[in-house]
Amino acid sequence: MKKNYDIIAFDLDGTLTASDRGITNSMQIALRHFGIERDTESLKRHIGPSLTDTFREYVGDDEEQIQLAIKKYREYYVAGGMLENDLYEGVEETLKEIKNRGKKIILASSKPMVYCEQILKHYGLDKYFDFIGGSNLDETRSKKVEVISFSLENINETPGSNVLMVGDREYDILGAKGLGMDSVGVLFGYGSKEELQEAGATYTIEKMTDLLEIV
């Protein structure tokens, strides 16, 4: 029996956009400041978690060093790296149809909210969202549970069985589970099918338009 989801929450990187080019380029710029070289492919696993968690792995627990790495990352990212990405096939078609069905759509990304807004506006997708939620620039409110709750709060809703989270990494699935919500793992992003299933995704889809069979 098909469930009635009134609110669909989306992740951004690896879910709506293929953003690895801009993110990995920004990471490489930041890491080179510390004399660290990493190839693009190896850096893709960092798409999803907060920058603080990512750079701690490379520069250690020194907060000043972590913040310097984030600063260097953002110098490139803000200058154009954030737009070095592509929309996945079927994204706009799916968002438009979900809105036509009377559902609410929110973004719940660990990326800073100011960048999320710019990216969605650039691709003309902002008009489909009831709220665009992300983290703060200081990396607070970056955990998925926090940002989902924040986005729902801004449309006067609370987490529950009527909300569906759509994302490509275990963080999206575990965040939804922690709030008592169902989730969809997209198989075209940066997480593997095994990762999504082990995290407990309610559904998995191979292309974005498959979401329309669920909602």
Side-chain angles (χ1 to χ4, degrees):
M1 182 177 172
K2 194 172 183 179
K3 290 190 179 181
N4 183 30
Y5 299 110
D6 302 313
I7 305 161
I8 316 301
F10 286 92
D11 176 45
L12 180 55
D13 296 327
T15 302
L16 300 178
T17 62
S19 53
D20 53 279
R21 189 158 39 102
I23 290 174
T24 56
N25 284 344
S26 300
M27 283 184 187
Q28 286 175 325
I29 293 291
L31 292 174
R32 280 179 192 138
H33 182 78
F34 297 89
I36 300 169
E37 288 288 341
R38 290 292 184 274
D39 64 273
T40 298
E41 202 60 36
S42 70
L43 292 174
K44 286 183 181 179
R45 68 188 176 88
H46 295 301
I47 300 174
S50 70
L51 291 177
T52 297
D53 292 341
T54 292
F55 287 125
R56 181 175 285 113
E57 180 178 324
Y58 294 97
V59 303
D61 292 324
D62 186 310
E63 190 60 32
E64 284 189 13
Q65 295 291 84
I66 292 171
Q67 290 306 313
L68 178 58
I70 292 173
K71 180 175 180 286
K72 292 298 179 184
Y73 172 98
R74 286 181 175 159
E75 283 175 1
Y76 181 88
Y77 192 76
V78 172
M82 74 170 76
L83 300 180
E84 290 179 352
N85 52 37
D86 301 290
L87 282 185
Y88 285 114
E89 185 178 351
V91 165
E92 182 161 17
E93 172 190 343
T94 301
L95 293 174
K96 185 176 182 179
E97 179 56 27
I98 290 172
K99 289 303 286 185
N100 287 342
R101 293 179 185 182
K103 315 284 186 181
K104 291 181 179 179
I105 299 176
I106 58 174
L107 190 82
S109 171
S110 293
K111 184 187 294 297
M113 191 163 148
V114 62
Y115 302 152
C116 294
E117 291 170 343
Q118 290 178 58
I119 292 166
L120 292 182
K121 186 174 182 179
H122 175 78
Y123 289 105
L125 299 180
D126 54 317
K127 60 180 176 285
Y128 298 112
F129 286 81
D130 293 274
F131 187 75
I132 296 170
S135 65
N136 294 311
L137 281 169
D138 64 1
E139 291 282 295
T140 55
R141 201 180 62 229
S142 62
K143 295 189 183 308
K144 195 59 67 162
V145 165
E146 296 172 330
V147 77
I148 294 171
S149 298
F150 172 73
S151 293
L152 286 169
E153 188 178 303
N154 275 274
I155 60 168
N156 299 312
E157 298 284 355
T158 55
S161 60
N162 66 323
V163 187
L164 183 68
M165 179 70 209
V166 184
D168 70 310
R169 298 296 310 274
E170 63 180 336
Y171 313 100
D172 303 301
I173 308 307
L174 294 173
K177 186 186 289 186
L179 293 169
M181 294 162 35
D182 285 351
S183 59
V184 176
V186 302
L187 301 179
F188 47 80
Y190 301 111
S192 66
K193 185 173 185 178
E194 291 71 28
E195 174 185 329
L196 294 165
Q197 289 180 333
E198 284 178 17
T202 315
Y203 316 92
T204 56
I205 58 174
E206 294 186 354
K207 57 184 186 298
M208 185 57 81
T209 51
D210 290 344
L211 183 61
L212 297 174
E213 298 175 18
I214 298 170
V215 304

